[in-house]
Amino acid sequence: MRYLQDRIFSFLICAFTALSFVSLLFVIYFIVREAMPLFSEVSPGEFIFGDRWMPIGYTGEPSFGIFNFIAATAAVSFLAIIIALFISIGAASFLCLCTGEGTREGIYSVIDLLAGIPSVVYGFIGIVVLLRIFFRVGVHTGSCVLAASILLSIMLLPVLISSCCESMLRARDEYLLPIKALGVSEWYGLATVIIPASWKNILLAVIPAVGRAMGETMAVMMVIGNANLFPSLLGKSETIPAVIALEMGTAVSGSTHYHALYGAGLVLMVMLFVINTAISILRRRLSRI
Amino acid sequence: MNNALTIEKLSVSYDNKEALKDISLKIPEHRITAVIGPSGCGKSTFLKCLNGQIMEENARVSGKVTLSGTDISKLKPSDLRRKVGLVFQTPAPFPMSIYKNMTYAPRYYGINDREELKRTVTEKLKLTGLYDEVKDELKKSAVKLSGGQKQRLCIARALTVDPEVLLLDEPCSALDIKSTSVIEELLLRLKETYTIVIVTHNLGQAARISDMTAFINDGRLVEFGETGSIFKAPEMEETKDFITGSFG
Amino acid sequence: MRHLSKLVKLWAFLGIGITLGTVAFIFLFIFYEGASVISPSFILESPSGAILGTEGGIFPAIIGSLFFTGTAVAMSAPAAVAAAAYITFFCKNDRMKVVLHSVINTISGIPSIVLGLFAYSFLVKSLGLGRCILSSGTALAVMILPFIEIRAEKAFGELSEEMIRSSDALGCSRTYMFLKIALPSCKRELISAVILGGCYAMGATPPLIFTGAVAYASVPESIFEPAMALPMHLYLLVAQGATSMDTAYGTAFVMLALILILTIIARALGGFRK
């Protein structure tokens, strides 16, 4: 009796666990299935490196090239990471040297509130605050790549601060006493020893955030202006998730346009997969050294 | 004197590294057998063989262990565990009340009668001397007990399934001197009902409480015999070195 | 030398200042601007007005969001907790654990917009469910699966190894151990993880856009019909421009308040960061 119950329960656990596999397989299958028809009409090279996105042929031939979207996705994420890293290392330095365990936990949980804010709210605040500032400064309509990056960088702060802080705390515990014993100010020690010592770990912890940044839809879409242009700091552009979110509603199911949007989704997924794989290889390499 | 456990030509290896080599000995009933040896000599692996835990690890095991006449590899794991109890180094009470800790295993084996459960709890707690200390607060969380009480609770809990043999893996190394001596007295009382095998690196403890002592070094059984003779007149030079503290 | 010290110190104060300042600004800004819009009728009425949403309330969107979130959590929580339990207690094969971990990591790396594409192709089209709460809920469920799994696994992982081995030593099965020890002692953390997962799902827009969330619908009665959702509603109000800004602030207020309250409950249950 007991034995039977155990078997049934273990089986249930396995079955539910299998759902994770199944859902991953299903996602990949359906994205690939819907993307494939595209490539019978547009070659992958043309799709990835073409910069004309003309889903419906109002003026001339329809054309499907997502190069600018790819570039914008990469540019916005990269810039966001740089900004976020700058703020995070500063904040982590503060948390390392100026706070005790208790205060730090308190500040952490305040910062964590940022992670709970929905991205559409970030987009909303971006429009009513950031874009107005950019507009006043002279950017046409205010929408631009930089605005999107700033917004995105704020969204990345909770993850980045906690991983920066974690590696810096480890370095601090190792080096701070010797630094103080030399009579050097702790801030000087932080800049010359602790930050350089934790640099590698910070970088490794940070790169996964690229993935999150590249997949972000709402906040970026609401402030980037959504024009098919090659990204420039104060110019409009459009990312892959934004294209999908904006055009999926109007694309006729089964049309080339529809398949092209799945194609764009597939490209995004492959980009993220490549990045994640590269990181895990890199991490294994570095941890071996 | 009957033998509770007979171990014949027992060898264990992990990833082609031998942890135990060709061990044969007979563990007598109603006696305390101490297993001593330097750290990493295979003492804990030896215990794992006796309650079958070794079968769940990636280890190659050869040889035979018989428990009162039955080859233990023929027993179902849960039946073997009922007959051979095991207590760990760090006391690990379950995060529930003392009473529930004690009824955890009996309920698993299908005992649901309240009176019977209560009787078991009282009996085993009395056996470990814990009953008088906690009888009024059986509903209290076991996590709140002191270290020594926790360990006695774990011993009592191991007894709730009425094992024939009780294995203890350094049961006192996480405890202070006073709790240690309480547990030692307890073990001396328990040997009237159970066969006890205790792994310890406290040689004094082995000398104080055990009847038989096995000295394992580097995976080999170096010497096995009456505790008195092992400590006073060891036959092997190696044993003598260990006992007089030349190594380990 | 001196300058470097000062520079770093400035950097540190700037960093923490910007961070905490941003947190404070976002919440105060939304609560300040939104507070004047909030009234019982805003919360309890349907949207109305010549341009939808300029007048009236957001009741169907609140209920709709609860439906989306509830569906996602109901589908995701059992799978996530089971996967965590399997990895921690039941799986004896190390290679299997590695595979499972990388599956879960990969899922967590899928952008939510792609999950929307998946749900559209699979549920809306192939299964013929059409745009409905269940279609979106499935996409959301996949999205929060790794989120809950990671937290559940962490909770299970904190149980002491010796305790689990003690249960084994008594001959009890892992199933019995899981039901009698692991689940009861991790109950709070698990509930907390599920609530946080719910918050995450409640705020997500991309998986809903073309799979089940619509600009206007009455309060849903089943999961087989489309519904309004708070984040989608907010997006549409903002996209309409200046005319519906007031209600946009109100909607943002309600969302933030809901998520803040749920987060606080979850934190109180799960204990603050350990």
Side-chain angles (χ1 to χ4, degrees):
Chain A
M1 195 51 203
R2 173 66 71 187
Y3 181 71
L4 191 67
Q5 281 171 16
D6 288 351
R7 289 319 288 265
I8 292 172
F9 190 81
S10 319
F11 174 76
L12 280 179
I13 288 276
C14 292
F16 273 109
T17 305
L19 280 180
S20 304
F21 279 97
V22 172
S23 47
L24 180 61
L25 287 180
F26 269 46
V27 172
I28 293 173
Y29 170 74
F30 278 97
I31 300 298
V32 171
R33 193 187 77 165
E34 298 283 8
M36 274 309 140
L38 169 76
F39 297 114
S40 61
E41 295 183 36
V42 184
S43 78
E46 213 179 310
F47 183 61
I48 293 172
F49 295 108
D51 61 2
R52 262 188 83 231
W53 176 262
M54 203 64 74
I56 300 160
Y58 291 124
T59 51
E61 279 292 287
S63 161
F64 299 92
I66 58 167
F67 184 69
N68 286 340
F69 304 144
I70 296 179
T73 308
V76 170
S77 316
F78 181 71
L79 204 56
I81 294 277
I82 299 290
I83 301 170
L85 206 53
F86 176 79
I87 302 175
S88 303
I89 293 179
S93 307
F94 177 87
L95 291 172
C96 264
L97 290 188
C98 304
T99 57
E101 179 96 34
T103 327
R104 191 161 57 241
E105 297 306 309
I107 293 180
Y108 265 149
S109 47
V110 171
I111 296 174
D112 268 357
L113 290 177
L114 283 179
I117 299 175
S119 61
V120 66
V121 172
Y122 278 105
F124 176 48
I125 289 176
I127 288 178
V128 295
V129 179
L130 262 185
L131 293 197
R132 278 185 198 159
I133 297 173
F134 275 100
F135 182 66
R136 225 164 269 167
V137 176
V139 179
H140 181 61
T141 73
S143 307
C144 60
V145 170
L146 183 61
S149 303
I150 293 176
L151 214 49
L152 198 48
S153 73
I154 297 171
M155 302 174 69
L156 296 174
L157 283 182
V159 180
L160 288 195
I161 291 180
S162 81
S163 48
C164 284
C165 199
E166 200 180 303
S167 14
M168 282 168 64
L169 278 175
R170 235 177 294 140
R172 183 198 73 170
D173 292 341
E174 203 174 332
Y175 300 117
L176 193 62
L177 277 180
I179 288 169
K180 278 187 167 168
L182 287 171
V184 178
S185 101
E186 40 183 20
W187 291 103
Y188 186 79
L190 183 92
T192 52
V193 181
I194 296 177
I195 294 180
S198 34
W199 188 241
K200 196 177 77 184
N201 284 327
I202 291 180
L203 217 58
L204 278 180
V206 155
I207 303 172
V210 177
R212 163 123 201 259
M214 288 181 30
E216 175 50 41
T217 311
M218 301 312 285
V220 171
M221 168 176 118
M222 289 163 86
V223 297
I224 203 171
N226 300 315
N228 178 17
L229 295 171
F230 191 79
S232 66
L233 211 53
L234 295 177
K236 291 182 178 162
S237 198
E238 188 166 10
T239 62
I240 295 177
V243 180
I244 300 173
L246 287 170
E247 299 188 5
M248 195 56 199
T250 53
V252 179
S253 174
S255 65
T256 315
H257 185 194
Y258 172 86
H259 294 305
L261 291 175
Y262 275 87
L266 182 63
V267 169
L268 182 64
M269 251 171 60
V270 171
M271 282 164 75
L272 292 179
F273 182 73
V274 169
I275 290 178
N276 285 333
T277 314
I279 292 162
S280 53
I281 293 172
L282 196 68
R283 177 167 294 163
R284 233 170 289 151
R285 278 275 164 76
L286 284 178
S287 64
R288 217 180 289 148
I289 296 166
Chain B
M1 178 59 57
N2 287 325
N3 291 317
L5 280 164
T6 313
I7 296 121
E8 289 166 82
K9 295 189 182 310
L10 178 69
S11 295
V12 177
S13 58
Y14 293 97
D15 304 328
N16 293 326
K17 260 168 65 186
E18 279 201 305
L20 288 179
K21 289 168 227 164
D22 200 23
I23 290 190
S24 299
L25 73 139
K26 294 188 166 80
I27 292 172
E29 238 176 21
H30 302 307
R31 290 285 181 277
I32 297 181
T33 304
V35 181
I36 57 172
S39 314
C41 69
K43 291 175 296 193
S44 297
T45 309
F46 178 69
L47 277 199
K48 283 182 191 166
C49 294
L50 302 186
N51 88 330
Q53 197 186 327
I54 197 83
M55 307 309 278
E56 284 165 22
E57 295 174 13
N58 280 327
R60 286 222 337 260
V61 186
S62 65
K64 194 169 140 193
V65 179
T66 20
L67 172 69
S68 7
T70 330
D71 183 347
I72 63 164
S73 63
K74 302 250 156 53
L75 287 170
K76 271 203 314 197
S78 67
D79 289 342
L80 173 60
R81 303 260 165 98
R82 280 184 83 162
K83 290 181 176 158
V84 181
L86 174 59
V87 173
F88 295 93
Q89 183 172 356
T90 326
F94 302 142
M96 43 179 97
S97 72
I98 297 170
Y99 187 82
K100 282 196 175 156
N101 259 279
M102 295 296 293
T103 56
Y104 177 84
R107 278 180 187 276
Y108 177 76
Y109 293 110
I111 298 167
N112 284 312
D113 180 54
R114 293 179 71 95
E115 284 306 311
E116 194 180 344
L117 285 172
K118 216 168 193 170
R119 217 177 316 126
T120 312
V121 172
T122 316
E123 182 195 328
K124 305 304 178 193
L125 283 177
K126 274 183 177 156
L127 214 52
T128 52
L130 203 56
Y131 186 73
D132 290 330
E133 296 168 40
V134 301
K135 66 179 174 214
D136 299 324
E137 36 186 19
L138 291 176
K139 293 263 180 293
K140 186 168 104 169
S141 166
V143 182
K144 289 183 182 141
L145 293 171
S146 74
Q149 286 177 322
K150 276 183 192 165
Q151 192 60 298
R152 277 185 287 153
L153 177 69
C154 289
I155 294 174
R157 188 178 64 193
L159 299 179
T160 53
V161 291
D162 288 316
E164 294 167 25
V165 181
L166 184 62
L167 311 175
L168 301 113
D169 191 355
E170 316 233 10
C172 299
S173 61
L175 303 178
D176 58 44
I177 299 173
K178 185 146 183 297
S179 311
T180 301
S181 69
V182 173
I183 295 215
E184 287 178 3
E185 281 162 29
L186 158 65
L187 293 179
L188 289 172
R189 274 204 310 280
L190 287 181
K191 75 172 179 181
E192 285 164 21
T193 333
Y194 307 95
T195 303
I196 293 173
V197 180
I198 178 170
V199 161
T200 178
H201 58 210
N202 178 342
L203 293 179
Q205 182 169 60
R208 277 195 298 277
I209 63 172
S210 70
D211 304 291
M212 305 293 287
T213 296
F215 171 49
I216 297 184
N217 189 20
D218 204 15
R220 290 166 298 115
L221 178 68
V222 180
E223 198 167 345
F224 177 59
E226 300 263 343
T227 299
S229 54
I230 291 261
F231 276 88
K232 282 192 197 99
E235 284 172 22
M236 312 290 284
E237 202 59 29
E238 215 175 326
T239 317
K240 199 169 153 192
D241 287 347
F242 180 69
I243 286 165
T244 53
S246 307
F247 73 97
Chain C
M1 299 282 233
R2 283 276 161 74
H3 291 304
L4 187 61
S5 291
K6 275 191 186 148
L7 214 63
V8 179
K9 206 167 175 176
L10 182 72
W11 184 10
F13 280 87
L14 205 65
I16 196 75
I18 292 176
T19 309
L20 295 180
T22 310
V23 181
F25 173 77
I26 293 176
F27 280 92
L28 291 178
F29 180 72
I30 295 291
F31 285 152
Y32 176 76
E33 296 278 353
S36 54
V37 186
I38 300 297
S39 65
S41 67
F42 181 74
I43 292 180
L44 296 174
E45 280 174 16
S46 295
S48 56
I51 302 171
L52 196 72
T54 45
E55 290 163 34
I58 53 167
F59 188 63
I62 296 177
I63 301 301
S65 266
L66 293 179
F67 264 79
F68 283 113
T69 310
T71 312
V73 165
M75 293 170 82
S76 191
V81 174
Y86 181 74
I87 290 174
T88 327
F89 304 122
F90 292 89
C91 180
K92 283 172 186 147
N93 181 337
D94 284 341
R95 194 170 299 162
M96 187 69 187
K97 286 184 197 174
V98 174
V99 169
L100 257 175
H101 275 140
S102 61
V103 164
I104 284 157
N105 270 333
T106 312
I107 297 178
S108 77
I110 301 174
S112 57
I113 187 78
V114 172
L115 294 177
L117 287 176
F118 152 71
Y120 184 80
S121 169
F122 175 43
L123 295 135
V124 177
K125 268 182 65 192
S126 298
L127 291 186
L129 289 173
R131 297 186 180 200
C132 67
I133 293 173
L134 182 60
S135 302
S136 303
T138 309
L140 291 173
V142 178
M143 184 180 86
I144 62 176
L145 179 91
F147 185 95
I148 301 178
E149 196 280 337
I150 288 167
R151 283 160 180 78
E153 198 183 323
K154 184 160 172 273
F156 289 146
E158 276 166 12
L159 293 177
S160 94
E161 177 82 9
E162 305 236 304
M163 200 165 74
I164 297 162
R165 296 224 316 267
S166 298
S167 170
D168 289 349
L170 288 166
C172 301
S173 66
R174 286 290 170 98
T175 300
Y176 188 70
M177 192 285 303
F178 178 69
L179 294 175
K180 293 285 170 174
I181 299 177
L183 265 193
S185 50
C186 297
K187 197 170 53 194
R188 292 160 67 100
E189 284 90 344
L190 292 179
I191 294 173
S192 155
V194 169
I195 294 178
L196 288 174
C199 287
Y200 181 30
M202 191 184 287
T205 325
L208 319 173
I209 302 180
F210 33 82
T211 60
V214 289
Y216 182 77
S218 50
V219 172
E221 277 158 10
S222 84
I223 56 169
F224 296 103
E225 50 186 78
M228 293 179 72
L230 285 170
M232 181 75 175
H233 189 60
L234 174 59
Y235 171 65
L236 293 173
L237 291 176
V238 174
Q240 282 171 3
T243 47
S244 44
M245 267 309 155
D246 280 349
T247 38
Y249 280 115
T251 311
F253 181 107
V254 172
M255 267 176 94
L256 273 196
L258 260 176
I259 285 170
L260 193 64
I261 292 169
L262 286 174
T263 308
I264 290 172
I265 293 176
R267 289 261 182 82
L269 275 174
F272 288 85
R273 273 176 188 247
K274 279 174 194 157

